[in-house]
């Protein structure tokens, strides 16, 4: 009777509206009644429409309420807030409302860096110093549907010369930054940079297994913190009626809410306050498959420190209409301003509607004046905590229903609210210091997102963003870094022109998995060999040259190259204490890239997905043990 009156508070005729619920009242406890009240109040009676009589499927009904309880607990403001937000956003979507109504776009201010110049080196040094006050957050909850790789994306090798997977590369980079940061400040105390991974039900267990089976890639297990995002309820119509799983009438259909969840999760986990109390100042967010990212991190963190940015978005030069968002300042007629990412398909109409007749067009530099957002963010911890305390971690959301027809009354399939990590600045006050750091694409951005078939269809000149292009980008970046060294030496040591610098052969052009790519010499190094340009400068001296066939692996902090001529494969592993000086000529059959068909099921997927396999014909291996000397 008590339960009956509880539900009657919501609506008098609830029993006829939700007879399935009425006949099961006897098995519900008070918490479940509370949840049922919420659902009825939000017009979700249909969820109980096909419930069996009490005594049948009772366990499943319990599971239903357990799921409702999770969905309610995981959303800021609970399920009611979710449904109400959805109704507003669905109404806006149906009305075709322009989210930028009243806003005038302009180019925000930020820092444009030139790799290798004095400014860049200065920012890198500032960034390394500050790294001991940073926490790193990897968002890795995505399904990776576009890549179609069977395992989690962070387990994929970033390149196959060493076979280092993305997660290993990220962890090793953080460990090296941690050590370099303390060393630079000549501080003897030991700092452990927190390393957070946001997972989801799709990625949590495999991520944990990958870490455990590899001893956390050298990081202390308690330095790695996994936080799991939950999915959100799917919606069947514009009234935000929650969708049931087509295969189970006692289960709500759910889908991912997007990487924006990372903010509410960090807020509710209590980690942010803990970090602030421990003296940390920065939180760096980044994504699962960008093998170049850590080449850009030290300098961009240096920009955050030097410029005092509350929000610093990493960006690359963007061609007009290129399919990446543009970082844009928006100023409203009512005085509001914000600096945010505007998706490429929204930028052109926004510009045209606000007096820019050419829309999204290139400027004098040949690039769009709006830098291309690569979704790596550096936030200053203090202002970040202030903002999340105000918003309770909620982040601006959007909905993207696929309508059946122009009446926009029904959907082709259920939809849900989504949110993006980069939309965090949307709610910031106009006093917030929001900037960006632009670096060359070759240095900073080569994500692995697309499967071979889709990548092969990418129009010529646009990036493939495949496993093939991601790997080639790493070799190219390393070669261009070494070439930069060559240019500097050439300029500064003009009298020693013939001896100076590093000569890198030009790349060959090859087609793998239907994608035309440049193969540069396969020069790779572990983060402990070099994380910054200054590290490379210290370790590579004059007179080195690499043929296009060259493959080199540098694994050890004290390996020095001088007068090395490589035409083949050279692998150097040296323990931390070993100093290895390498010079002279190395020539052997080397390692050759042989085409492999992605449809060939006999190949491991991480190989077929990139369309080539490295055939290891011959190599010179040097093992640097303690007190080992030079190798000629
Ligand atoms: P992507 O845009 O690459 O999406 O995510 P995705 O879900 O991984 O891949 P597709 O679209 O299904 O092919 C960018 C980053 O955000 C993370 C991903 O793991 C990736 O690092 N992400 C995405 C989350 O952490 N959670 C999400 O709900 C979505």
């Amino acid at each position: 009777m008590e339960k009956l009156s509880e539900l009657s508070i919501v609506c008098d005729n609830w029993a006829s509206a939700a007879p399935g619920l009425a006949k099961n009242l006897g098995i519900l406890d008070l918490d479940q009644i509370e949840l049922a009240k919420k659902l009825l109040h939000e017009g979700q009676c249909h969820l109980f429409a096909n419930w069996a009589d009490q005594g049948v499927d009772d366990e499943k009904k319990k599971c239903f309420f357990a799921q409702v309880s999770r969905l309610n607990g995981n959303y800021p403001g609970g399920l009611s807030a979710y449904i109400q937000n959805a109704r507003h956003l669905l109404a806006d979507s149906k009305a075709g409302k322009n989210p930028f109504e009243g806003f005038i776009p302009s180019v925000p201010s930020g820092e444009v860096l030139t790799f290798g110049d004095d400014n860049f080196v200065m920012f890198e040094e500032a960034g390394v110093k500050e790294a001991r006050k940073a926490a790193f957050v990897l968002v890795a909850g995505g399904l990776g549907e576009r890549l179609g790789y069977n395992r989690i994306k962070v387990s994929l090798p970033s390149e196959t010369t060493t076979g280092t997977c993305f997660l290993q590369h990220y962890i090793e980079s953080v460990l090296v930054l941690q050590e370099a940061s303390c060393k630079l400040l000549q501080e003897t105390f030991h700092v452990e940079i927190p390393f957070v991974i946001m997972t989801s039900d799709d990625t949590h267990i495999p991520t944990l297994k990958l870490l455990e089976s590899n001893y956390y890639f050298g990081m202390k297990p308690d330095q790695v913190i996994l936080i799991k995002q939950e999915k959100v309820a799917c919606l069947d119509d514009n009234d935000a009626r929650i969708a049931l799983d087509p295969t189970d009438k006692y289960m709500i259909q759910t889908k991912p809410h997007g990487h924006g969840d990372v903010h509410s999760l960090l807020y509710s986990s209590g980690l942010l306050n803990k970090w602030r109390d421990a003296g940390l100042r920065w939180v760096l967010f980044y994504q699962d498959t960008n093998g170049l990212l850590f080449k850009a991190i030290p300098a961009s963190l240096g920009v955050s420190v030097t410029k005092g940015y509350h929000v610093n978005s990493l960006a690359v030069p963007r061609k007009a209409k290129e399919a990446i968002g543009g970082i844009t300042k928006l100023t409203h007629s009512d005085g509001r301003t914000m600096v945010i990412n505007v998706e490429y398909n929204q930028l052109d109409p926004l510009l045209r509607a606000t007096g820019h007749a050419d829309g999204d067009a290139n400027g004098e530099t040949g690039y769009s004046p709006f830098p291309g957002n690569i979704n790596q963010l550096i936030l200053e911890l203090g202002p970040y905590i202030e903002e999340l305390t105000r918003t309770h971690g909620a982040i601006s959301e959007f909905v993207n229903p696929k309508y059946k027809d122009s009446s926009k009354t029904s959907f082709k399939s259920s939809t849900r609210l989504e949110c993006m990590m980069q939309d965090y600045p949307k709610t910031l006050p106009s006093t917030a210091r929001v900037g960006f750091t632009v670096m060359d694409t070759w240095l900073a951005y080569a994500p692995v997102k697309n499967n071979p078939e889709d990548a092969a269809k990418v129009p010529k000149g646009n990036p493939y963003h495949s496993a093939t292009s991601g790997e080639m980008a790493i070799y190219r970046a390393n070669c261009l870094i070494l070439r930069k060294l060559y240019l500097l030496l050439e300029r500064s040591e003009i009298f020693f022109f013939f001896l100076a610098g590093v000569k890198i052969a030009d790349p060959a052009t090859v087609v793998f998995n239907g994608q035309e790519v440049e193969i540069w010499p396969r020069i790779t190094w572990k983060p402990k060999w070099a994380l910054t340009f200054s590290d490379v400068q210290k370790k590579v001296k004059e007179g080195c040259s690499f043929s296009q066939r060259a493959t080199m692996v540098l694994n050890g902090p004290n390996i020095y190259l001088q007068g090395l001529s490589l035409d083949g494969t050279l692998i150097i592993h040296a323990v931390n204490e070993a100093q290895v000086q390498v010079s002279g000529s190395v020539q052997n059959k080397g390692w050759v890239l042989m085409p492999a068909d992605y449809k060939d099921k006999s190949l491991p997927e991480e190989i077929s997905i990139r369309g080539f396999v490295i055939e290891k014909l011959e190599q010179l291996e040097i093992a640097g043990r303690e007190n080992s000397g030079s190798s000629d």
Side-chain angles (χ1 to χ4, degrees), residues 139-146 153 198 229 256 258-259 287-288 449:
V139 291
L143 277 171
E145 275 172 332
R146 281 172 290 167
K153 284 190 277 176
M198 182 174 79
Q229 65 176 140
H259 42 56
Q287 305 199 348
D288 52 14
K449 283 182 187 284

Side-chain angles (χ1 to χ4, degrees), residues 2 32 61 88 113 135 193 211 226 234 308 327 398 447 466 552 584:
E2 195 188 317
Q32 290 165 336
K61 292 167 196 162
H88 285 302
L113 301 186
I193 293 178
L211 287 163
L226 264 54
C234 291
I327 297 178
F398 64 97
S466 65
M552 180 169 72

Side-chain angles (χ1 to χ4, degrees), residues 499-514:
L499 280 179
V502 179
K503 287 188 179 162
I504 308 273
D506 285 335
T509 301
V510 178
V511 175
F512 291 132
N513 276 351

Side-chain angles (χ1 to χ4, degrees), residues 146 170 287-296 314-317 322-325 372-376 439-449 463-465 469-470 472-474 476-477:
R146 281 172 290 167
Y170 293 152
Q287 305 199 348
D288 52 14
T289 56
N290 181 7
L292 299 181
L293 179 69
F294 273 83
K295 297 186 188 300
L314 272 60
V316 293
E322 194 182 326
I324 54 174
N373 170 44
I374 62 168
N375 262 351
Q376 327 286 340
M439 296 206 205
D440 292 309
T441 309
W442 65 260
L443 182 74
Y445 190 52
V448 176
K449 283 182 187 284
Y464 297 121
H465 290 172
S469 62
M472 294 304 157
I474 293 172
R476 180 177 58 164

